[in-house]
Amino acid sequence: MTALLQPAILFGLTGAALVGIGLFAVVTQPGLLRRIVGCNILGAGIFLVFGAVARRGAGAGFEADPVPQALVITGIVVAFSASALAIALLKRLSEITIGEGADAGGPEGGA
């Protein structure tokens, strides 16, 4: 039981659970915002698994490799900026769709 509660294994299992939850949200949710959130959860799970794998060497008595940790930090920054861009595009798409709907169905711009 204590072998299962080691931090590297616990982080790996949690990351795998987050990947599954994020993948489920991306595949099954019809809304674009929910899919963006699902992609963020999926990415967080991948970062957690990658961090756990990078820390595995520290448990064996070796020093932890700093390259995977730097990649995870860079990935977090890139994922944040990609999420901000996706949400901005979704907001603009929503404004265009609502504007076209108001123009087509309004009293002056309609049929």
Side-chain angles (χ1 to χ4, degrees), residues 6 13 16 19 22-23 29-30 32 42-43 52 55 61-62 68-70 75 78 80 82 87 89:
Q6 292 179 351
L13 290 175
V19 167
L23 194 60
Q29 295 297 324
L32 291 176
L42 177 68
R55 179 152 165 67
F62 301 114
Q69 295 172 359
V78 170
F80 178 75
I87 290 174
L89 289 174

Side-chain angles (χ1 to χ4, degrees), residues 7-31:
I9 294 173
L10 194 60
F11 288 157
L13 290 175
T14 304
L18 286 176
V19 167
I21 291 169
L23 194 60
F24 177 77
V26 168
V27 171
T28 60
Q29 295 297 324

